[in-house]
Amino acid sequence: AQSVTQPDIHITVSEGASLELRCNYSYGATPYLFWYVQSPGQGLQLLLKYFSGDTLVQGIKGFEAEFKRSQSSFNLRKPSVHWSDAAEYFCAVVLNTGFQKLVFGTGTRLLVSP
Amino acid sequence: DAEITQSPRHKITETGRQVTLACHQTWNHNNMFWYRQDLGHGLRLIHYSYGVQDTNKGEVSDGYSVSRSNTEDLPLTLESAASSQTSVYFCASSESNGPGDTQYFGPGTRLTVL
């Protein structure tokens, strides 16, 4: 079955340290890939997305993600985490079928320690 | 500014009652979506619409219905609420049908079924 896996339920990072959140997908072809962030009590906000081309994608708030076809991964990174980055992060995919059905991973909750 | 709103933000109801959650967007987007968010599952698609009078079932549509009488609104109805439908519900919209188009999310409605 098609799926998106975020293996880390929780991650704690010190403020100022680097961050990497993992995302793997299981589809035959390269899907459209997204990272969303959900701050407490809020809806989801798009951080970045990848369709094709350069495999390193820049997003908002200083985030970037790298698509690795050989590993079926689309990991999210940030070089220096700020306390305001504490939130839940969701990886999502849309198959290249022409239909806009987002399939979400189960999310990773980021905690930022002082 | 254009936006997407949901009401109510919190709702407590009893098993067997009919409940309607409202979603309203002012972007004039053609596409609208309803998701539910549960621990361990991420967000799952309930119903979606690609335009007025168009509705489609998503991954977890049993017990839910939607109707689209205008561009701005996609109300979600629980015909006979069940405790398993206790969840946080998110509405989203997007401009075009392209698989890579960004979906914009509302703030969510927390529904408790007692």
Side-chain angles (χ1 to χ4, degrees):
Chain A
Q2 304 154 349
S3 67
V4 179
T5 302
Q6 294 181 248
D8 303 306
I9 299 174
H10 297 101
I11 281 186
T12 300
V13 175
S14 298
E15 190 167 17
S18 64
L19 169 70
E20 183 169 26
L21 302 182
R22 295 183 289 166
C23 173
N24 293 92
Y25 63 91
S26 61
Y27 295 93
T30 300
Y32 290 71
L33 297 156
F34 303 79
W35 274 101
Y36 281 86
V37 60
Q38 184 182 25
S39 298
Q42 304 294 316
L44 280 72
Q45 181 183 22
L46 180 70
L47 286 174
L48 47 81
K49 56 186 175 181
Y50 172 78
F51 308 153
S52 63
D54 191 346
T55 56
L56 186 62
V57 180
Q58 300 298 319
I60 63 171
K61 303 185 179 187
F63 285 92
E64 65 179 26
E66 186 172 13
F67 169 64
K68 293 186 178 180
R69 185 188 305 275
S70 61
Q71 299 176 19
S72 297
S73 68
F74 188 56
N75 294 349
L76 182 70
R77 302 194 295 243
K78 187 170 185 178
S80 178
V81 168
H82 187 262
W83 63 266
S84 60
D85 293 323
E88 187 143 23
Y89 293 80
F90 291 95
C91 181
V93 304
V94 171
L95 294 181
N96 187 12
T97 59
F99 299 103
Q100 210 178 93
K101 292 186 190 180
L102 277 168
V103 176
F104 285 87
T106 52
T108 297
R109 182 167 297 278
L110 173 65
L111 305 174
V112 180
S113 60
Chain B
D1 285 343
E3 60 179 355
I4 181 166
T5 57
Q6 295 183 235
S7 62
R9 295 295 311 277
H10 301 271
K11 174 77 175 178
I12 299 174
T13 190
E14 295 176 343
T15 302
R17 290 191 179 268
Q18 183 181 78
V19 177
T20 296
L21 309 182
C23 175
H24 179 80
Q25 53 97 1
T26 59
W27 284 301
N28 204 36
H29 284 169
N30 287 324
N31 308 324
M32 296 184 73
F33 308 82
W34 274 104
Y35 296 88
R36 59 178 289 173
Q37 183 181 26
D38 305 288
L39 278 176
H41 290 280
L43 279 80
R44 292 178 291 175
L45 183 63
I46 305 172
H47 282 286
Y48 59 102
S49 167
Y50 286 146
V52 176
Q53 302 300 331
D54 175 76
T55 62
N56 306 279
K57 294 182 178 180
E59 178 188 1
V60 289
S61 60
D62 287 348
Y64 303 95
S65 64
V66 294
S67 63
R68 187 93 179 269
S69 59
N70 59 53
T71 301
E72 296 80 17
D73 299 289
L74 186 70
L76 177 71
T77 297
L78 288 67
E79 302 293 345
S80 177
S83 58
S84 60
Q85 294 177 308
T86 293
S87 186
V88 181
Y89 292 86
F90 288 97
C91 179
S93 71
S94 66
E95 184 175 12
S96 75
N97 284 348
D101 201 24
T102 298
Q103 292 186 23
Y104 297 90
F105 285 78
T109 294
R110 182 174 296 276
L111 176 68
T112 302
V113 183
L114 301 176

